[in-house]
Amino acid sequence: MGIGNAALFQSTKSYESKPKLYHPHIMLLAQGKKIIYLGGKEYLYDPYHYFVQTVSLPLNCKAVIEDDQPIMGIILRITPQVIGEILFEMETEPVPAKSISSSLYNAKTTDKLIDSCIRLVNTLESKNETKVLGPCYVKEILFRILNGENGNILRELANNNRGFYQIARVINNIHENYSQPIVIPALAKEAGMSPTAFHSAFKSVTSISPLQYIKNIRLHKAKEFIQNEGEKVNTAATRVGYESTSQFSREYKRFFGTSPTSDRLSGSSTMF
């Protein structure tokens, strides 16, 4: 069920670590546990920790059902505009960043943040409350997180004169043009960086190289076409920019652990 930029969700199945493509969001759990794996690091989120991701990333995720209770929580989709509006109202000067930060983090869930989430969920008892008060409580949750532990990473999303923002803009461009030939020097030029500086900055934000990121995005998009749209393997390969179906199938199986043909037969997959 959606409330503005927020939505409630639940998952009834545990699963071991597997590749996922997540877009910018904040996740707060009331039950269950998830672990994100990226760049040799682990990010746990559960009822005591929330998770923030500021750019679209292909990563690995593990879900754990505890005491036979489904994973339940709130997901908030975030954009530079949403964060920027709150920062503008806060009337605070941006703090210059010394270097590009990681694009995701977890942090401890505070009592004030829990109270904000409870108020948001309680608006579901009335359509009028959902419509009128829901967005207010979503804003309150974002305010708490912006001013919470590691909130400076989330603030960088809305600050368009930092290297972090330049990399985020390039990532958006990749998502819009993943099926087209993408040349790394052109991406570096778009970011206003030398190829060497761009590679370093990109890896700092995503934990992988630009080339690997592009390949991962293409494979995730192909998986969506195959599972959710029932697309044929060769057609999906072409749609995401592969010229060779056999190469696509090899890289797909190496990445996901299953063949594209078997995924096409298994049907749709869930995002979380």
Side-chain angles (χ1 to χ4, degrees):
M1 183 174 293
I3 309 171
N5 292 326
L8 306 184
F9 78 95
Q10 74 170 24
S11 177
T12 58
K13 295 181 179 179
S14 295
Y15 54 79
E16 293 302 314
S17 176
K18 60 182 180 180
K20 294 275 191 178
L21 174 60
Y22 288 156
H23 298 293
H25 72 283
I26 296 169
M27 185 78 75
L28 305 107
L29 295 184
Q31 290 181 177
K33 176 170 66 177
K34 287 198 171 188
I35 305 172
I36 296 296
Y37 302 92
L38 183 68
K41 296 182 180 180
E42 297 183 7
Y43 302 86
L44 165 72
Y45 55 109
D46 57 15
Y48 307 100
H49 304 83
Y50 59 90
F51 175 73
V52 178
Q53 179 182 322
T54 60
V55 298
S56 296
L57 286 174
L59 38 76
N60 282 59
C61 178
K62 176 180 179 179
V64 181
I65 300 290
E66 297 180 320
D67 300 323
D68 296 324
Q69 298 296 314
I71 297 174
M72 298 180 65
I74 300 172
I75 176 172
L76 284 74
R77 304 187 186 281
I78 53 177
T79 65
Q81 292 76 20
V82 169
I83 302 303
E85 288 173 4
I86 296 175
L87 291 177
F88 178 78
E89 291 185 28
M90 288 168 56
E91 298 181 352
T92 57
E93 291 294 327
V95 179
K98 296 180 179 179
S99 62
I100 295 176
S101 303
S102 171
S103 58
L104 71 171
Y105 67 93
N106 58 350
K108 293 181 179 179
T109 306
T110 64
D111 290 339
K112 287 184 177 180
L113 184 55
I114 292 173
D115 289 342
S116 301
C117 292
I118 291 173
R119 284 194 290 275
L120 175 64
V121 173
N122 285 341
T123 65
L124 296 175
E125 297 177 359
S126 163
K127 288 184 179 181
N128 284 333
E129 288 193 10
T130 301
K131 184 177 180 180
V132 177
L133 298 179
C136 299
Y137 297 140
V138 169
K139 191 173 183 179
E140 181 181 346
I141 291 171
L142 291 173
F143 174 83
R144 301 289 181 201
I145 292 174
L146 279 166
N147 288 281
E149 182 182 355
N150 292 322
N152 62 300
I153 296 177
L154 183 56
R155 291 176 184 229
E156 288 181 5
L157 179 65
N159 195 343
N160 63 8
N161 63 354
R162 297 182 182 179
F164 179 90
Y165 182 87
Q166 298 303 102
I167 296 300
R169 188 174 66 178
V170 168
I171 286 174
N172 287 337
N173 185 22
I174 291 173
H175 279 263
E176 292 175 359
N177 301 284
Y178 60 85
S179 64
Q180 305 300 316
I182 299 176
V183 182
I184 301 304
L187 296 181
K189 184 177 180 180
E190 180 186 349
M193 303 176 184
S194 69
T196 301
F198 172 72
H199 186 279
S200 176
F202 193 97
K203 194 167 184 179
S204 175
V205 171
T206 67
S207 295
I208 56 178
S209 70
L211 283 175
Q212 187 64 49
Y213 184 93
I214 293 166
K215 185 172 78 170
N216 290 359
I217 293 302
R218 285 173 171 164
L219 291 172
H220 276 289
K221 292 293 184 181
K223 187 179 181 74
E224 290 180 14
F225 296 147
I226 289 169
Q227 287 195 308
N228 299 338
E229 299 180 18
E231 195 72 271
K232 292 181 178 179
V233 175
N234 61 334
T235 305
T238 301
R239 285 183 67 179
V240 300
Y242 276 83
E243 296 181 358
S244 168
T245 301
S246 59
Q247 179 188 357
F248 165 74
S249 296
R250 287 194 303 271
E251 293 186 356
Y252 186 104
K253 187 171 183 178
R254 188 182 304 121
F255 187 68
F256 292 112
T258 56
S259 70
T261 301
S262 63
D263 277 350
R264 184 171 185 266
L265 295 174
S266 67
S268 63
S269 60
T270 58
M271 180 178 179
F272 295 101

